[in-house]
Amino acid sequence: MRITDIEITPIAVQDPPLLNSEGVHQTHALRSIIKVTTSNGLVGWGETYGDDVMLHWLRAVAPRLDGVDVFDLNHIESIVDDELLTNADSITTDLPAGAGYPMANAASVKTRAAVFSAFEVPCLDLQGKSLGRPVSDLLGGRRRDRVEYSAYLFYKWAEHPQKPYPADSWGEVLTPEAMVEECRRMVSEYGFQSIKLKGGVLPPAQEIETVRALRAEFPDLPVRIDPNAAWTADVAIAVGQHLDGELEYLEDPVSGTRAMAEVARRVSMPLATNMCVTSFPDIPEAVREGAPQVILSDHHFWGGLRKSVELDQLCATFGLKLSMHSNTHLGISLAAMTHFGAVARSLAYSCDTHTPWQTENIIVPSEELTFKNGSVAVPTGPGLGVEVDEDAVAALHEQWRTCGVRTRDDVSPMRAVDPAWTGDVPRFFTL
Ligand code: GKR
Ligand code: MG
């Protein structure tokens, strides 16, 4: 079953002004939609980052996949490697290397893994469609029928400072009380059974207060906090000790595996990461240091769904646990995340998802991918089990053409409000 056509469509979706340690989300988040057609007329779908640099590499690789068999994933990977290694200088800007995009330059393992993943997922969708089996079957078969996600809470502004973007329906969230309200709505609309708080925004003592307010209001729901390395090791240890017994894990309080291990030795809860262990070469140091103990998988940057299964196996071997990272994403990614979540044996926590923050989508709503009690059913139809709404893709492509956002940049919109803002971490040096 050979590839006869690949269409890469950049799209932009409206995004609320969510705050994090780097700054604030822009008015629009970018995604690329990948449509792969084969000689027998089947169509496979993928979704990944939409920044200009990613688009450059997707467009450079796509023509080289013409005529390649969709089952020959190792060959596709070697084409991606060759393209990026040979032409690393063909674009000067690197993919952004912040919390959401742990990639360095074109030749790096991480960037190559991200580009390969963008083609691997639609090929798996096609393999599944040709065999009449869901992607989870191709990954070894599901261990669970539903995958649990957590309420992903953000401090946020009421609206983007840039006009004329309308305010979203969530309002301003900068106090513990407002965060409890945000959580109440998310839990009532999606049924989430656990809570992730994006921290690194307010002084750590205020974020501790927020965690406590959430725990008081939702005593049965485990809580985790992720300040994206905004704290020094001393602050992280102090926060960890204050919240002793109150967090299911502490995610990326500091940057770098050694600093994470230093914190892990002084706090009781496990440490988790999507910042310091983001590719296979990062694993030996984490195993040597004994921390972080939880890795947030993300097929978009770990090299696809099959590589995520390899990560799962390594976690099982070394006694690490898996959780799952998300960036702003739409339904094709949610389906892919859910297929992996279904098969991962080391998955010990509910996964992250940005779904509640998006008001636009590109898939036809389905019963399976609708949240119930905080989880979604693993699609059982062939391939990823999603039907893409191509009119919605076209409309969001038009939005991409006109919105002016071309790369993820949380620093500049914050700097427009606070000219001294750098987005540098650590930013909080005392509790
Ligand atoms: O969407 O602002 C955000 C998050 O901070 C995201 O960029 C991170 O990649 O969700 C992420 C995380 O867990 O670090
Ligand atoms: Mg994180």
Side-chain angles (χ1 to χ4, degrees), residues 92-93 163 324 399 401:
T92 47
T93 330
K163 303 291 176 205
M324 196 187 290
Q399 186 156 274
R401 253 187 11 84

Side-chain angles (χ1 to χ4, degrees), residues 261-273:
E262 185 188 334
V263 175
R265 285 192 282 274
R266 307 277 304 279
V267 300
S268 58
M269 66 285 288
L271 293 207
T273 189

Side-chain angles (χ1 to χ4, degrees), residues 285-326:
E285 188 187 13
V287 171
R288 265 196 316 273
E289 294 284 344
Q293 301 98 318
V294 181
I295 296 177
L296 278 79
S297 67
D298 183 332
H299 72 272
H300 302 91
F301 64 74
W302 274 93
L305 294 168
R306 284 161 70 256
K307 290 277 171 26
S308 299
V309 172
E310 289 178 28
L311 170 65
D312 181 35
Q313 178 58 50
L314 277 179
C315 287
T317 304
F318 291 108
L320 301 168
K321 295 292 177 212
L322 273 184
S323 186
M324 196 187 290
H325 170 257
S326 81

Side-chain angles (χ1 to χ4, degrees), residues 18-20 25 99-101 152 154 196 198 226 228 251-252 274-275 296 325-328 352 354 408 410:
L18 305 180
L19 299 165
N20 59 30
H25 282 209
Y101 300 89
Y152 198 160
F154 279 82
K196 164 163 174 167
K198 175 57 56 174
D226 173 15
N228 285 120
E251 182 175 328
D252 287 312
N274 61 271
M275 294 178 76
L296 278 79
H325 170 257
S326 81
N327 276 129
T328 302
D352 293 356
H354 281 61
R408 177 167 175 185
D410 296 4

Side-chain angles (χ1 to χ4, degrees), residues 56-312:
H56 169 88
W57 291 118
L58 296 177
R59 286 172 173 153
V61 170
R64 295 188 56 180
L65 300 184
D66 193 40
V68 175
D69 187 332
V70 298
F71 282 88
D72 204 352
L73 294 172
N74 291 336
H75 184 40
I76 293 176
E77 187 177 15
S78 69
I79 292 173
V80 169
D81 285 350
D82 181 67
E83 180 62 35
L84 271 70
L85 291 170
T86 312
N87 298 309
D89 298 335
S90 64
I91 182 161
T92 47
T93 330
D94 290 338
L95 281 167
Y101 300 89
M103 305 159 206
N105 53 53
S108 75
V109 172
K110 297 174 192 189
T111 304
R112 286 187 276 130
V115 175
F116 171 62
S117 170
F119 295 107
E120 187 240 27
V121 174
C123 286
L124 289 175
D125 189 25
L126 283 159
Q127 291 181 16
K129 282 172 174 160
S130 77
L131 296 167
R133 307 295 292 253
V135 164
S136 57
D137 281 2
L138 305 176
L139 302 177
R142 54 183 193 270
R143 297 175 194 272
R144 46 192 81 81
D145 293 332
R146 302 190 68 85
V147 173
E148 289 181 14
Y149 289 87
S150 56
Y152 198 160
L153 308 181
F154 279 82
Y155 294 107
K156 65 181 292 297
W157 291 336
E159 54 190 319
H160 289 285
Q162 299 96 321
K163 303 291 176 205
Y165 296 108
D168 58 73
S169 61
W170 295 87
E172 179 182 276
V173 181
L174 293 172
T175 61
E177 298 72 36
M179 191 62 83
V180 165
E181 270 316 302
E182 181 182 289
C183 189
R184 191 170 290 128
R185 171 169 164 193
M186 241 186 231
V187 167
S188 90
E189 288 179 14
Y190 293 84
F192 293 120
Q193 303 292 316
S194 77
I195 298 170
K196 164 163 174 167
L197 174 63
K198 175 57 56 174
V201 173
L202 301 181
Q206 291 180 41
E207 296 193 348
I208 290 177
E209 247 188 88
T210 302
V211 168
R212 295 224 163 104
L214 290 166
R215 285 189 43 82
E217 191 66 24
F218 306 96
D220 299 331
L221 275 45
V223 179
R224 57 186 95 144
I225 181 168
D226 173 15
N228 285 120
W231 302 337
T232 61
D234 285 349
V235 169
I237 291 164
V239 173
Q241 292 179 351
H242 270 80
L243 291 176
D244 188 20
E246 302 197 63
L247 292 180
E248 65 171 348
Y249 60 67
L250 181 54
E251 182 175 328
D252 287 312
V254 292
S255 102
T257 296
R258 293 192 68 172
M260 289 280 279
E262 185 188 334
V263 175
R265 285 192 282 274
R266 307 277 304 279
V267 300
S268 58
M269 66 285 288
L271 293 207
T273 189
N274 61 271
M275 294 178 76
C276 64
V277 181
T278 55
S279 70
F280 289 96
D282 298 329
I283 292 177
E285 188 187 13
V287 171
R288 265 196 316 273
E289 294 284 344
Q293 301 98 318
V294 181
I295 296 177
L296 278 79
S297 67
D298 183 332
H299 72 272
H300 302 91
F301 64 74
W302 274 93
L305 294 168
R306 284 161 70 256
K307 290 277 171 26
S308 299
V309 172
E310 289 178 28
L311 170 65
D312 181 35

